[in-house]
Amino acid sequence: FENSRFKGYGIGVTQAEISIFNRWGSLIFYSDNVNEILRVGWDGTFNGKNLNQGVYAYKLKAAFYNGKTFEKLGTVTLIR
C-alpha cells in the first residue's frame, strides 16, 4: 500500500492549520486551508522539488463546529 500524500482527516472541521518541518526545524510546508489539509495534503515536496526520504515532524491544529479544538504533534516518514 502506498500513500502519495499526507493528509488530515475529520468530520465537522471548521478551521485547521498544519506545519511540517525538516530535521533541522525548518518549515517546509504550511497550510491553513481546510480543503487543502483534508483533501489535497502534502505531497513530499518543497518548492516543487522532491524531498529526500526521511522523518519529518508535523504540528496539526483543528477546530470543530461544536467548539472543541484538537492539537497533535507527530512525525511522518517519507519513503520514495
Side-chain angles (χ1 to χ4, degrees), residues 1-58:
F1 179 73
E2 181 179 311
N3 295 319
S4 59
R5 295 185 175 265
F6 178 65
K7 304 178 200 179
Y9 63 92
I11 298 172
V13 178
T14 59
Q15 295 177 334
E17 180 178 306
I18 190 166
S19 301
I20 300 178
F21 306 90
N22 65 17
R23 72 177 97 191
W24 299 282
S26 297
L27 182 67
I28 57 168
F29 179 80
Y30 172 83
S31 180
D32 60 1
N33 180 309
V34 174
N35 184 56
E36 182 176 29
I37 294 167
L38 299 179
R39 291 179 183 83
V40 179
W42 174 59
D43 63 359
T45 64
F46 178 65
N47 288 335
K49 296 180 182 173
N50 287 338
L51 290 171
N52 292 330
Q53 293 189 135
V55 178
Y56 296 83
Y58 70 88

